[in-house]
Every structure is written in C-alpha cells, then in structure tokens.
Amino acid sequence: MFKKVLIAEDFDIVNKGVVTTLKELNITNITTVKYCDDAELRLKKALHDAEPFELLITDLSFNADHRNQKYVSGEDLIAIAKVIQPTLKIIVFSVDDRLQKVRSLIQTYNINGYVCKDRYDAKELTKAIEEVYQNKAYLSTKVKLALEPKSNLEIDDYDIDLVKFLSKGLLQSEISEYLKKQKIYPNSLSSIEKHLNILKIQFKAKNAIHLVSIFKDLGLI
Amino acid sequence: MFKKVLIAEDFDIVNKGVVTTLKELNITNITTVKYCDDAELRLKKALHDAEPFELLITDLSFNADHRNQKYVSGEDLIAIAKVIQPTLKIIVFSVDDRLQKVRSLIQTYNINGYVCKDRYDAKELTKAIEEVYQNKAYLSTKVKLALEPKSNLEIDDYDIDLVKFLSKGLLQSEISEYLKKQKIYPNSLSSIEKHLNILKIQFKAKNAIHLVSIFKDLGLI
DNA sequence: CAATACCTTACGGAAATCCGTATTTAAAGA
DNA sequence: TCTTTAAATACGGATTTCCGTAAGGTATTG
C-alpha cells in the first residue's frame, strides 16, 4: 500500500474524514494542507529530501480567504504537481460531478482517480486508493460515464460560461465583444443567442432570467 | 460534556470528520445517519427507550437519491425534531453562510448553534459543542452578523416576491397580471418596473438577470 | 467528389426591458 | 380643508432580447 500521501483540501472536517479513511488502510505517513500553495511546497520539499509523496488526494475548489495564493484551484495544483513530479499518482476528491470536468482532467493531466464527494464517498475513496495503488484507474460510479462517448444532454464549459456571464449582468452583445477579444469561438451575437436558446429548451427555462436561476439552483454556476 | 449525540449528514467523509472531532471531545455514544428520515426514527426510538439524544448536529442540504424520503432537507428534520423532542439541542453544520438563512433558523426553530463548513470548521464545531453544552448559543464568525439588527439595506417581502417571480421566469407583465388577480398593490406594470429599478440601484445590479443572481447569492430567494 | 448534416453567422421583425417624464392617487400634516 | 409629499400609474422612446429564416463554412460519409 502507499506509504506517503499528501491531502489538499480546504475544509477541516473533510480533511479529518480523509485522514481517518487513510488510517483505516494502514497509511500512516499523511500530510494535510489547506492551501494549494502549501501543497506545492510540500511536494518540492519531499522530492528534494528524496522522500517523495506517492499519492496526492486533492479537492478541486478551494475557498479564497485572506491568504493570497498563487494556485487557487485543485486544477492549478494538479498542473504544477505534474511538472514537479510527473510520476505522482493523483486522485481528485470533489463534489463536482460534471462529466465534462472529469473527462478534461483525465485527458489533460492523466489523473489516476476521480471520487465524488457523496453519500458513499468513504467507501469509494478507499476503493480508489487500492485500485490506483495497483496502477489501475478509478472513477466514482457517478462519473463512470465520463469515459463513454458524450451524451447529448451534457453542457460544456462554453455554455456554462455564457450563463455565468449573463448572471454577472453582461448583455449578450457585451459577451460577444468579450469573446471576440479573447478569440474564443463562436462569438457572434447570433451564435450566443442560439446557444442560449438551446439551453433554454434543454432546461425548460422560460427566458434568460429563468435559465440563470435554474443554473444557480443546479450549482452549475 | 454531552453523552449521546446524533449526526445527520449525507456525505460519508464529513460524517467521519465530525465523528473524529466528537471523539476528541470524549463523546463516545455517537450515531450517524445519512438520511433525515433515519434521523427521525432514531430520535423517536431513543426517546421511547428513555435514552434520548442530547444533541443533534445536522447538515442542511441532503442529496436526493433512489431512496424516497419524507424529509428532504435539514430544515425539515429540525422542524420534526423539535416536535418529537422540544428540549433537544441542535447545531446546524452547513456550507450555507447566508445570514438570512441563519436568522430564520434561529427565529423559527430556536437552534442552538450554526457552524459553517469552512477551512477552520473543526475548531468551530468543537467550540460550538462546548458552548451549546453550557446552554450558550454559538454562531460561526462567518455568520455572527445574523443576530445584528437588520440593516436598512434589507428589503421587504413585496420586493423579494417580485424578484422571486422573475427568477421563476415570469414576465413583468405576467407578474402584474398575477398581482391584480391576487388584489395585491401596487400591481401596475409601471410600478413593478419602478420597484425593480430601485432594487437594481440598491444592489448595484446591471439588469434584471444580475439582480436575480445577486438575490440568489445572498439567499434572499 | 458530391450529398449531408451540423455549426456559425447574418438579418429583420416582434416582444420585452429599460428609463425618463408626466399625471393621478393616496397619505400626512398644518 | 387645504397643502405638501410620496407613492402609484401612465406613456413614449431607446435598447435589448427573442425568434424565425437564410446564407456560408466545415466536417463526415458513402
């Protein structure tokens, strides 16, 4: 079993829960950090001391607070971790169950496991650690479909961003301007209208306000 | 210290974290449930066996799954718990940090503590348990302001309803129609526009979508 | 390579909103 | 009762969204 594990998770209580779960697996050398920046330091130091971590378990979202941080998300952390120590095994542990997100993490960073925070997450986390230790990949049942071909019900980040812009009060014309500046396509007003319209149909929203409201309720934005 | 505690929390890992925290307080008689309905049964049984729980620590939101539930939220659970056992101490443990929510829980159910899931939540939860044991109330620093007198920024129910209607996708003209049917005044389209406009200025919202978004973030709707 | 399917973009008219101004109504005070 | 003040309503024009149609571009497939 893994000997040395790093946990990056901002909530105290979740940290405790993960530690308890690891101890049940007889893993004793456990380090926990509440900030991604701390995780980077720990990874570097361990490597420098020739006692590298074997596994990183990380959350995706970290609440911002008074401490100014270089890396603000689990994704940032994963990116830098893979640079520091390419062989490091990584399991993501997050409430986020969007297939799109999972898929992109697998494709971009080649993460080894993805466990959703959920009713039976302790069991799944345990299983994930065991599987990853045996060089297998592990995905929570909730996101197993991530590797399947895309379903047409899925919303991609582009569409989520559109709704997010709306929720911040931008006009559709302003969104178009912004996307053009960022060279993100499609960016015509017409396309934005169309995408939003499709979303409205998919989510049975009566209008843009309703759509934003639904997205907020679903936690998509 | 409390002898017998019930924890209602759907996520495994958080459950483990809370249990670990309680054990550090030398509380040994701990029951955890993942569904509100189970919590109700446990409370009733304990009372019937003349070994009632002294403290309930409950989350507010519970993910829905295949199991059909009578009580779907922590608030539902608190309501029924207070009926079953009015003397039960209750601490809410939630990520929700909306003052409006906290205030309403205190006023409606007279809960004893409210701890926000956050970076230092284990410490706060510990503190909350100790304080509540001494018959004091405890609120996380994040939501301490909930008990302060209402600021003049707070808005009346009429205005909140307007924004709520918007969030459900009603047109301003439809809202006007509805209010006329209900004989609620003011109900002219013009007045509705004006009220919404004042709200937009108060909350620095760029447009109606933004306003709804802000209201949702503040937990006003 | 042609047929097709799909996506982006463009355009125009209808509907809804935003916003300023003016008028009416209701409440409050002298 | 008469003024004063504030709120509710009415109205019009500008802006934005909504929605259908159509043209152009690109990738897929037989």
Side-chain angles (χ1 to χ4, degrees):
Chain A
M1 182 41 65
F2 291 114
K3 295 257 156 36
K4 191 170 179 180
V5 178
L6 177 62
I7 304 169
E9 159 70 50
D10 51 350
F11 288 9
D12 250 1
I13 283 287
V14 178
N15 248 319
K16 286 203 180 206
V18 176
V19 168
T20 305
T21 305
L22 292 190
K23 283 186 178 159
E24 285 165 7
L25 282 167
N26 294 316
I27 299 172
T28 47
N29 194 341
I30 304 167
T31 306
T32 66
V33 292
K34 296 201 178 103
Y35 298 88
C36 295
D37 287 21
D38 291 348
E40 184 206 10
L41 294 178
R42 294 288 190 157
L43 286 172
K44 280 185 175 166
K45 180 161 192 315
L47 200 62
H48 179 264
D49 294 348
E51 289 175 352
F53 287 98
E54 299 161 81
L55 173 67
L56 166 66
I57 299 174
T58 181
D59 194 2
L60 284 185
S61 91
F62 288 77
N63 269 357
D65 65 8
H66 58 283
R67 263 184 62 171
N68 231 28
Q69 297 293 299
K70 192 159 48 159
Y71 309 106
V72 298
S73 74
E75 201 165 338
D76 291 350
L77 172 58
I78 292 169
I80 188 68
K82 277 287 174 184
V83 173
I84 296 172
Q85 184 182 340
T87 59
L88 180 70
K89 300 267 177 70
I90 297 178
I91 293 174
V92 171
F93 186 47
S94 167
V95 281
D96 196 334
D97 59 2
R98 284 147 42 197
L99 299 185
Q100 193 74 21
K101 190 87 227 166
V102 180
R103 185 155 41 226
S104 105
L105 286 171
I106 294 172
Q107 286 170 354
T108 314
Y109 305 108
N110 200 29
I111 61 168
N112 307 87
Y114 194 109
V115 179
C116 294
K117 289 178 182 167
D118 200 358
R119 221 174 296 260
Y120 302 100
D121 51 10
K123 200 172 290 180
E124 293 204 317
L125 185 59
T126 302
K127 185 104 175 118
I129 293 168
E130 288 168 348
E131 295 284 313
V132 169
Y133 182 68
Q134 294 169 43
N135 284 312
K136 295 177 192 160
Y138 182 88
L139 297 184
S140 281
T141 44
K142 222 176 171 183
V143 293
K144 270 245 173 66
L145 296 171
L147 293 181
E148 305 285 315
K150 279 197 187 193
S151 93
N152 47 3
L153 258 175
E154 271 188 70
I155 349 112
D156 58 27
D157 288 346
Y158 175 85
D159 285 343
I160 288 178
D161 283 343
L162 286 189
V163 181
K164 202 180 290 176
F165 285 135
L166 281 186
S167 79
K168 289 179 180 164
L170 271 71
L171 299 177
Q172 294 180 16
S173 53
E174 290 172 332
I175 296 174
S176 171
E177 290 308 313
Y178 176 81
L179 295 180
K180 276 172 186 163
K181 263 186 201 144
Q182 302 290 319
K183 306 226 186 300
I184 297 171
Y185 300 88
N187 56 32
S188 71
L189 179 58
S190 184
S191 286
I192 291 168
E193 284 177 357
K194 183 158 196 169
H195 274 260
L196 289 174
N197 200 40
I198 290 169
L199 288 175
K200 276 179 230 160
I201 293 165
Q202 276 187 347
F203 287 88
K204 303 191 208 311
K206 293 179 188 163
N207 53 40
I209 296 180
H210 196 197
L211 182 67
V212 167
S213 173
I214 291 170
F215 265 52
K216 284 218 163 252
D217 286 341
L218 292 176
L220 291 171
I221 56 173
Chain B
M1 182 43 64
F2 290 114
K3 294 257 157 33
K4 191 170 180 181
V5 178
L6 178 62
I7 303 168
E9 158 71 50
D10 52 350
F11 288 9
D12 249 2
I13 283 285
V14 178
N15 248 319
K16 286 204 179 203
V18 176
V19 168
T20 305
T21 305
L22 291 189
K23 282 186 179 161
E24 285 165 8
L25 282 167
N26 294 316
I27 299 172
T28 48
N29 194 341
I30 304 168
T31 307
T32 65
V33 293
K34 295 202 179 100
Y35 297 88
C36 295
D37 288 21
D38 291 348
E40 184 206 10
L41 294 178
R42 293 288 189 155
L43 286 173
K44 279 186 175 166
K45 179 161 192 315
L47 201 61
H48 178 265
D49 294 349
E51 290 175 352
F53 286 97
E54 299 161 81
L55 173 67
L56 167 66
I57 299 175
T58 181
D59 193 2
L60 285 185
S61 91
F62 289 76
N63 269 357
D65 65 8
H66 58 283
R67 262 183 63 171
N68 231 28
Q69 297 292 299
K70 193 159 47 159
Y71 309 107
V72 298
S73 74
E75 201 165 338
D76 291 350
L77 171 58
I78 292 169
I80 188 67
K82 277 287 175 183
V83 172
I84 296 172
Q85 184 182 340
T87 59
L88 181 70
K89 299 267 177 70
I90 297 178
I91 294 174
V92 172
F93 186 47
S94 167
V95 281
D96 197 333
D97 59 2
R98 297 172 313 190
L99 299 185
Q100 198 88 6
K101 188 90 225 167
V102 179
R103 185 155 42 227
S104 106
L105 286 172
I106 293 172
Q107 286 170 354
T108 314
Y109 306 108
N110 200 29
I111 61 167
N112 307 87
Y114 194 109
V115 179
C116 294
K117 289 177 182 169
D118 200 359
R119 220 176 295 257
Y120 302 100
D121 50 9
K123 200 172 291 181
E124 293 205 316
L125 185 59
T126 302
K127 185 103 176 120
I129 293 168
E130 287 168 348
E131 296 283 314
V132 170
Y133 182 67
Q134 293 169 45
N135 284 312
K136 295 178 192 162
Y138 182 88
L139 297 185
S140 280
T141 44
K142 223 176 170 183
V143 293
K144 269 243 173 69
L145 295 171
L147 290 182
E148 302 288 315
K150 284 195 185 192
S151 78
N152 50 2
L153 259 175
E154 291 197 43
I155 356 92
D156 61 26
D157 289 346
Y158 176 85
D159 285 344
I160 288 178
D161 283 343
L162 286 190
V163 181
K164 202 180 289 176
F165 285 134
L166 279 187
S167 79
K168 289 179 179 164
L170 271 71
L171 299 178
Q172 294 180 14
S173 54
E174 290 173 331
I175 296 174
S176 171
E177 290 308 313
Y178 176 81
L179 294 180
K180 277 172 185 161
K181 263 187 199 142
Q182 301 290 319
K183 305 225 187 298
I184 297 171
Y185 299 89
N187 56 32
S188 71
L189 179 59
S190 182
S191 288
I192 291 169
E193 283 179 357
K194 182 158 196 168
H195 274 261
L196 288 174
N197 200 39
I198 290 169
L199 288 175
K200 276 179 230 160
I201 293 165
Q202 275 187 349
F203 287 87
K204 304 190 209 311
K206 293 178 187 165
N207 53 40
I209 297 181
H210 196 196
L211 183 67
V212 167
S213 173
I214 291 170
F215 265 51
K216 283 215 164 255
D217 285 340
L218 293 175
L220 293 171
I221 55 174

